[in-house]
Amino acid sequence: MKSYAVVALFDPLDVGAVINRRAWPAHVTLASNFVTSASTSGIARAVYEAAPVDAPMRVHVGEQALFGPNRDVRVRLVDSNQAVSVHNRLADQFESLPGFVPEEPAYWRQGYRPHLTLGPAAAGEGDRETSNCVVIVEIRDTDARVLAAFNSRGAL
């Protein structure tokens, strides 16, 4: 099965865009890597039902932390009740998809910590950012491909 993630972007990406995973644009992870046997349209419908862009997502960028099983992924925590709410709605939707399994269950539901993965375009501590775009990506070895994109008006 393929692996997917859902992220909120500060600058939109086109459907079909392929991004090197080491050069992600600034984003807040809303649903970390998961697998499902659902079709792309089924995943997109679940995201749409969760209404992740019913209003612009505002985040306040906080301190650095280390994530991942080896604690070697640098992130900045973000303060956003909105991100937590969207994550929980996404989890509600995804858990009903066929074959759904989060790759790191500890990072779902109560273990979810909104964060901005640090990369070349990352924001700094104290910054305030607004996202108007949410994308579903298929995670590959070294890159990710945008499968669907949503803004406050629906699918892009």
Side-chain angles (χ1 to χ4, degrees):
M1 281 194 276
K2 296 177 181 175
S3 180
Y4 305 93
V6 178
V7 300
L9 296 169
F10 304 116
D11 295 309
L13 289 172
D14 293 330
V15 172
V18 176
I19 307 113
N20 181 297
R21 292 178 63 195
R22 294 197 183 276
W24 270 95
H27 69 279
V28 174
T29 302
L30 298 173
S32 60
N33 303 14
F34 63 92
V35 297
T36 178
S37 58
S39 65
T40 299
S41 62
I43 298 167
R45 189 171 29 261
V47 171
Y48 182 79
E49 292 295 321
V53 287
D54 55 358
M57 181 178 298
R58 292 178 174 77
V59 299
H60 181 245
V61 181
E63 65 187 33
Q64 284 194 32
L66 294 172
F67 277 22
N70 298 322
R71 307 211 33 92
D72 59 354
V73 178
R74 292 179 356 155
V75 302
R76 283 204 180 270
L77 300 177
V78 298
D79 181 18
S80 173
N81 291 334
Q82 198 174 0
V84 173
S85 177
V86 168
H87 168 79
N88 287 326
R89 292 193 314 262
L90 287 168
D92 289 343
Q93 292 294 320
F94 291 156
E95 288 169 356
S96 67
L97 292 176
F100 169 80
V101 177
E103 290 183 11
E104 293 288 341
Y107 301 144
W108 282 73
R109 299 281 186 182
Q110 298 296 10
Y112 173 70
R113 294 176 67 195
H115 64 281
L116 176 80
T117 303
L118 293 181
E125 185 170 358
D127 287 354
R128 296 185 184 276
E129 300 286 344
T130 301
S131 168
N132 288 302
C133 180
V134 170
V135 298
I136 303 167
V137 295
E138 176 188 344
I139 303 296
R140 301 175 178 180
D141 290 332
T142 59
D143 58 20
R145 184 171 59 96
V146 177
L147 300 179
F150 302 87
N151 65 18
S152 59
R153 294 180 297 281
L156 294 175

